[in-house]
Amino acid sequence: MADPTPTPTPTRPLTRAGVQAARDLIAPYIHTTPILTNATLSRLASTPQPPSSTGVPRPARPTLRLWFKCENLQRIGAFKVRGAFHAIEQLKRSPAEWAATQSRGVVTHSSGNHAQALALAAQTSGIPAHIVMPSISAAPKIAATRGYGASVVFSGSTSTEREAAVAELVAATGARLIPPYDHPDIILGQGTMGLEMLEQVAGLIAAADAADTTDGDEPSGVNEQDRPPPRTLDAIITPCGGGGMLSGVALSCEGTSTRVFGAEPSFEDADDGKRGYYSGRRIETVKSLTIADGLRTPVGAIPWSIIYERRLVAGMYSVSEDEIKAALRLVYERMKLVVEPSAVVGLAVALYNEDFRAMVEREAGDAGWDLGLVFSGGNVSLEALGNLFAEP
Amino acid sequence: MADPTPTPTPTRPLTRAGVQAARDLIAPYIHTTPILTNATLSRLASTPQPPSSTGVPRPARPTLRLWFKCENLQRIGAFKVRGAFHAIEQLKRSPAEWAATQSRGVVTHSSGNHAQALALAAQTSGIPAHIVMPSISAAPKIAATRGYGASVVFSGSTSTEREAAVAELVAATGARLIPPYDHPDIILGQGTMGLEMLEQVAGLIAAADAADTTDGDEPSGVNEQDRPPPRTLDAIITPCGGGGMLSGVALSCEGTSTRVFGAEPSFEDADDGKRGYYSGRRIETVKSLTIADGLRTPVGAIPWSIIYERRLVAGMYSVSEDEIKAALRLVYERMKLVVEPSAVVGLAVALYNEDFRAMVEREAGDAGWDLGLVFSGGNVSLEALGNLFAEP
């Protein structure tokens, strides 16, 4: 018998405390991915662009110290496991729901990282997973999803065809739908990376400060309660596709002094989030073939409510395909890290977006900002990379 | 006036103690690069190959736990800085030599990582560097070398043309030649990575063992001096081009229980080291365009004396271009690390060379081996990578 309410109702408040609770739930299943820095990239970000490339007479002069959260080194090679594991752990909290899910399984539609993430999370808990993928999906992605024990069901490539296939599956199996981003448990799960970033960078800054101090003694007369809170990130930029990560990270920083920004590709109007944010109205369809293929989706309704309606995101910025490629090249050549094109849109904003850079110069002054950037994933085939960069 | 003895005489014994002394000298200038592991790659290496690919009725069944030394994350993106800094630090130990070198500078020929390494080391000590590069060198390599302040001198591509250009430069400037591999100080410098590997892996194994132990107490009655030495690598494979790294790592393991092996590409007879090793006679010329472009050189005379005559290398193995590409793909897809083709020949041996795998099965039995593999560098352009993997 099919479950009449396939989408679970929110079980957690969409708050920073909700993200903290999610973190405890998923801790056994995910990696605490490293934070890396790179002196060359921080220097480049702190160097004015050539005036010829900016079209402005005086390019901005921000000071930016970059901190990279390496979710490309996360399990399945992308942050998406955070939300997937959290959604399944939440189901376990209701014995009745869990009993039903154990026999009927979970279902989603994704041609990308969410497919593998949900497949792994389902396999880990021993429940069936049904993944609807467009029949034109790359063979390695299909193989990887099946490799985690999921059953793959093919559909056409349009969202209508995809949703019809999901509805059919839900009707036939009673499996529970775990959507890729427009769901509270997914958002809270993705937000856990924000908490890690604030803590990890605070620790790294404190360690660097301690190493800089020649005299290790505490100044006399300073009481524990008089100390300022530990210094950490002034801001975080995350990529924004459906907005699950961006809204989750925004929740993780609510009530702190860390501002959160979103980054998108501008190619073929993939910057729906930015256009919606500045026009005050969510844009519900996107049809772009940007190389940042994880960011071809419009922002979902629940992410939107956090990003825009609650104003937890301080601004949205977009970058061109060439800027994404240039940032990608720098990460490969300077950091020796494999990242997918979607992962570097935040870095591209920090390096090339004059609106962002001028804002940082204005807001941060000479002190500059410690800026966190999320390398969201590293799942790019060598063929796709080759097609992007091979000489003609 | 030109210096009549441009190649410095050996200033250090070619022993493990010499490598230890080199390590102290270069410590301020180099990174202690991380050791990474990857469960998937260790599992693949411990899985028999399909019989169809091996041509043997029963493919070998070794147990291999792989430990990757990430010299792609070293300064300039390759291990070569170890030897270059060491050669220059050694010059400083003789005031007369150093005074001459400070005014006349150093010179070498290299189209690759040694060029950038020597340029950086010279810049760090404030002395001039002259680098002879083939005029057909890729523009980014020339730019990178100049970026470290070196003066680049172009030559033809054959070794005769290159050596003539170097001789001319030495005659004109009196600069001191720091060759890329056939020199004691270079060998001792490269060997320092071997000491790091033994220590780092011993620490990681001890930490894993401690985490496995439910009861943290020491067994009673065990004295400090009765304890076995800490467990570390059973074996190391390094790539072998000119043999500087292989012979240096072999020195670093002399008198320990860790065996050292060399890995080469077999394409167009680039496996000169292996053929020489098993025929008892050094092969002095190689003309191969293997994709492992750092390994197109014949083994030098001094490395040969360590590798073969002193028998400090336990065996040499070679792999095909397809095997190198397959290993490269696994590192990009599974480890999300950028490495150059030369860096993965050791991994390719561990995964695909049946002679090596059968030997490990025989020697190690069920206990298997902890095997160290050196990712020697990460300097590959996205264009070169694209040309290797782009779809036609």
Side-chain angles (χ1 to χ4, degrees), chain A residues 40-299:
Chain A
T40 304
L41 292 189
S42 287
R43 192 173 62 241
L44 282 176
S46 301
T47 305
Q49 293 195 83
S52 58
S53 75
T54 62
V56 295
R58 179 191 166 285
R61 304 170 184 280
T63 298
L64 287 165
R65 293 172 297 278
L66 308 181
W67 304 85
F68 300 98
K69 178 67 168 169
C70 294
E71 290 287 297
N72 59 324
L73 304 179
Q74 186 51 270
R75 294 184 74 187
I76 74 113
F79 73 96
K80 291 276 186 179
V81 283
R82 294 175 182 271
F85 273 103
H86 184 235
I88 285 185
E89 289 308 298
Q90 283 293 352
L91 290 173
K92 290 183 186 170
R93 294 161 60 87
S94 153
E97 285 202 13
W98 185 238
T101 308
Q102 278 184 301
S103 55
R104 298 170 185 170
V106 289
V107 59
T108 199
H109 53 87
S110 165
S111 58
N113 292 327
H114 180 63
Q116 292 176 54
L118 189 65
L120 173 64
Q123 185 184 50
T124 304
S125 285
I127 63 175
H130 311 274
I131 314 285
V132 174
M133 300 181 86
S135 49
I136 56 160
S137 300
K141 291 195 170 177
I142 299 168
T145 306
R146 285 186 173 142
Y148 294 116
S151 118
V152 172
V153 179
F154 294 107
S155 77
S157 327
T158 69
S159 59
T160 318
E161 290 169 305
R162 224 164 48 175
E163 281 157 27
V166 169
E168 213 173 285
L169 252 174
V170 170
T173 64
R176 186 167 286 281
L177 175 64
I178 310 283
Y181 50 84
D182 204 4
H183 189 282
D185 292 337
I186 297 292
I187 292 167
L188 292 167
Q190 320 299 32
T192 57
M193 79 174 77
L195 299 179
E196 288 178 22
M197 291 173 78
L198 297 183
E199 278 181 23
Q200 287 175 298
V201 174
L204 292 164
I205 289 176
D209 287 351
D212 278 352
T213 308
T214 45
D215 178 350
D217 293 337
E218 288 291 326
S220 60
V222 174
N223 295 321
E224 192 67 33
Q225 64 268 35
D226 293 339
R227 280 213 199 106
R231 192 156 68 83
T232 186
L233 294 168
D234 298 294
I236 296 174
I237 307 179
T238 88
C240 178
M245 170 168 49
L246 176 58
S247 59
V249 170
L251 288 175
S252 79
C253 293
E254 187 176 16
T256 74
S257 60
T258 303
R259 294 182 234 197
V260 176
F261 301 92
E264 292 178 310
S266 56
F267 185 65
E268 293 180 345
D269 291 340
D271 55 349
D272 63 287
K274 173 185 157 187
R275 291 180 292 121
Y277 188 92
Y278 292 109
S279 70
R281 187 163 168 176
R282 184 166 74 97
I283 290 166
E284 297 184 26
T285 54
V286 167
K287 201 169 171 175
S288 167
L289 288 177
T290 168
I291 57 171
D293 56 0
L295 309 178
R296 291 174 182 170
T297 17
V299 173

Side-chain angles (χ1 to χ4, degrees), chain A residues 72-73 77 329 332 335-338 378-379 382-383 385-387 389-391, chain B residues 72-73 77 329 332 335-338 378-379 382-383 385-387 389-391:
Chain A
N72 59 324
L73 304 179
R329 178 186 294 279
Y332 277 72
M335 300 189 72
K336 311 298 181 194
L337 278 181
V338 174
N379 292 330
L382 280 160
E383 284 70 19
L385 206 61
N387 294 341
F389 288 100
E391 286 147 324
Chain B
N72 59 325
L73 304 178
R329 177 186 294 280
Y332 277 70
M335 299 188 74
K336 311 299 180 193
L337 278 182
V338 174
N379 292 330
L382 280 160
E383 285 71 19
L385 206 62
N387 295 340
F389 288 99
E391 286 148 325

Side-chain angles (χ1 to χ4, degrees), chain B residues 168-183:
Chain B
E168 214 172 286
L169 252 175
V170 169
T173 63
R176 185 167 287 280
L177 174 63
I178 310 282
Y181 50 83
D182 203 4
H183 189 283

